Amino acid sequence: MAEPVRVRRLTDQEGQRLQQIVRRSSTSTVRYRRAMMLLASAGGSRVPVITQLLAADEDTVRDLIHRFNEIGMACLDPQWAGGRPRLLTADDEDFVIATATTRPVKLGQPFTRWSIRKLATYLRKVPDRVIRIGREALRCLLARRGVTFQRTKTWKESTDPQRDAKLDRIEHVLEHLPDRVFAFDEFGPLGIRPTAGSCWAPRNRPHRIPATYHRTHGVTYFHGCYSIGDDALWGVNRRHKGAAQSLAALKSIRAARPDGAPIYVIMDSLSAHKGAKIRVWANGHGVELCFTPTNASWANPIEAHFGPLRQFTLANSHHPNHTVQTRALQAYLRWRNTNARHPDVLTAQRRERARIRSEKGMRWGGRPRAIAA
């Protein structure tokens, strides 16, 4: 039997960048959808699951995954081209790109970055390989090959000495024990303020949301749990995030599988997730905590599902208080679990678990009228 199509193991930079695109969604729709496909695949979702999640074609998802495994993050930007034949050979273009992405100091030039004029002048004077190209053609070539002028940024590398071991364990449980695997994470703080978003509206008649400078309601944090096998998401808003709230979440996850058999919970390495009480409780209740490596929270499968949750409940919203905001989140979670687009037909037992979890909030987030402490 052929191996399932999935993305290769992401680097820290790739995982964090994909997570940033999905969370902020302040980019083109094409990049947003492709980033969600890749992040979902990295989280262990099969191609049919991703297809149903994004209403895409299976061949499109497979082609994107293969393309990512070949060229990396460049696959997020489609390459549409046309016009007259190119005047430069493919080797010449590769040489131009390699020169543009090399620091000028390494090539004996007395400056720290290229400008279009300086780069074009240098290419015409390279010994044994003179490339004559105009400034506008050079600018178009760089844009076509994904080389843009941008600020230099710092990046966090995972310094976790057990990075590979943790990723191996997460991949193992996702591959072999999906019905026993859950994911947990928080996002926030969530304030009460008008939040910009997007929606359908008549041309040149966008919907308006009032602005406010007052923040008198405080903040909350959404604590979410995701069942890999059931494709079900649930959670609750709390005023704080700490060890007590994390333990309550783990208890709700344990209640989802009351048979006493071991379960596996993927979560990041936040100190509130690793307290002594949590470890003691987990050891006594058959719960294995699978921590993501430091600065690699993208490996948590729940991250791909937080993006739609934000877009359809928080973006383009103007909630008057936290109670209304919490009810909106819970209403979306009930709708999402009822209309889960899982590729396989869920058994009656799974549907019943999803229905109970949606209605009662696993006795953890079923009362949106008040914010939990």
Side-chain angles (χ1 to χ4, degrees):
M1 180 180 294
E3 292 292 331
V5 178
R6 62 175 299 177
V7 299
R8 56 171 171 75
R9 177 174 295 179
L10 303 180
T11 64
D12 295 326
Q13 295 93 334
E14 293 170 342
Q16 293 176 15
R17 180 55 183 160
L18 291 175
Q19 183 182 24
Q20 183 185 54
I21 294 174
V22 171
R23 282 189 171 184
R24 296 183 179 179
S25 68
S26 57
T27 183
S28 67
T29 303
V30 175
R31 287 176 60 86
Y32 176 74
R33 286 173 57 83
R34 292 188 174 198
M36 282 193 62
M37 292 178 188
L38 297 177
L39 197 59
S41 179
S45 299
R46 301 292 181 87
V47 170
V49 177
I50 303 173
T51 299
Q52 296 296 328
L53 176 65
L54 295 171
D57 184 75
E58 289 193 12
D59 291 338
T60 300
V61 178
R62 290 192 179 93
D63 291 343
L64 176 64
I65 292 175
H66 288 310
R67 190 66 174 164
F68 174 81
N69 292 338
E70 293 175 1
I71 65 175
M73 297 293 287
C75 72
L76 295 179
D77 300 305
Q79 300 296 320
W80 296 309
R84 68 177 184 178
R86 299 175 182 176
L87 301 180
L88 298 180
T89 66
D91 290 339
D92 290 338
E93 290 190 355
D94 292 340
F95 179 77
V96 172
I97 298 302
T99 303
T101 54
T102 302
R103 286 184 173 272
V105 176
K106 294 184 177 180
L107 300 177
Q109 302 303 305
F111 31 85
T112 59
R113 66 173 179 84
W114 295 110
S115 67
I116 294 294
R117 184 188 298 272
K118 288 181 173 61
L119 180 58
T121 302
Y122 175 81
L123 292 172
R124 287 194 293 268
K125 297 179 179 179
V126 176
D128 302 329
R129 188 164 192 170
V130 177
I131 296 179
R132 299 185 180 275
I133 183 172
R135 283 178 286 172
E136 186 59 28
L138 178 58
R139 184 181 293 108
C140 293
L141 172 59
L142 295 176
R144 187 170 66 249
R145 297 290 291 269
V147 178
T148 60
F149 189 79
Q150 51 192 294
R151 288 182 176 273
T152 303
K153 296 183 178 180
T154 59
W155 201 271
K156 290 184 179 179
E157 293 280 354
S158 178
T159 57
D160 196 328
Q162 299 180 339
R163 176 183 181 276
D164 291 335
K166 290 180 178 179
L167 292 177
D168 288 340
R169 183 56 179 168
I170 291 175
E171 291 178 359
H172 175 79
V173 297
L174 287 173
E175 181 71 22
H176 300 285
L177 302 165
D179 289 339
R180 313 294 302 181
V181 181
F182 297 82
F184 166 71
D185 199 7
E186 312 97 339
F187 69 76
L190 305 179
I192 297 302
R193 60 182 180 86
T195 305
S198 57
C199 64
W200 295 100
R203 182 174 298 173
N204 298 328
R205 291 288 186 271
H207 290 187
R208 301 290 183 177
I209 298 178
T212 178
Y213 297 95
H214 302 288
R215 305 287 186 269
T216 59
H217 295 272
V219 299
T220 61
Y221 300 86
F222 179 79
H223 293 64
C225 300
Y226 176 62
S227 173
I228 307 299
D230 295 335
D231 189 25
L233 181 68
W234 71 95
V236 64
N237 281 29
R238 295 188 180 274
R239 288 290 185 181
H240 308 281
K241 63 175 182 179
Q245 290 77 19
S246 299
L247 182 57
L250 292 175
K251 289 181 179 179
S252 78
I253 292 176
R254 177 71 270 185
R257 296 292 186 272
D259 52 11
I263 61 174
Y264 308 87
V265 181
I266 301 173
M267 52 179 29
D268 58 38
S269 300
L270 186 69
S271 59
H273 300 166
K274 301 188 296 185
K277 291 184 179 180
I278 293 179
R279 292 182 181 273
V280 171
W281 179 88
N283 292 333
H285 291 80
V287 178
E288 179 181 334
L289 305 179
C290 302
F291 294 108
T292 61
T294 305
N295 296 327
S297 59
W298 51 264
N300 194 332
I302 200 173
E303 291 292 344
H305 301 273
F306 275 170
L309 181 60
R310 286 175 176 269
Q311 285 300 306
F312 291 106
T313 59
L314 301 179
N316 197 34
S317 69
H318 183 199
H319 300 128
N321 52 57
H322 282 296
T323 300
V324 176
Q325 185 185 70
T326 302
R327 287 174 178 170
L329 286 167
Q330 293 297 326
Y332 175 81
L333 291 176
R334 288 191 294 270
W335 179 91
R336 184 241 180 246
N337 292 334
T338 303
N339 297 274
R341 295 181 291 188
H342 201 283
D344 301 325
V345 178
L346 296 178
T347 62
Q349 182 180 6
R350 288 184 177 180
R351 289 187 181 274
E352 183 66 14
R353 286 201 298 261
R355 184 186 65 81
I356 294 175
R357 189 159 34 248
S358 298
E359 293 180 355
K360 296 184 178 180
M362 294 308 301
R363 293 177 289 180
W364 178 57
R367 293 186 178 182
R369 294 189 298 273
I371 306 301

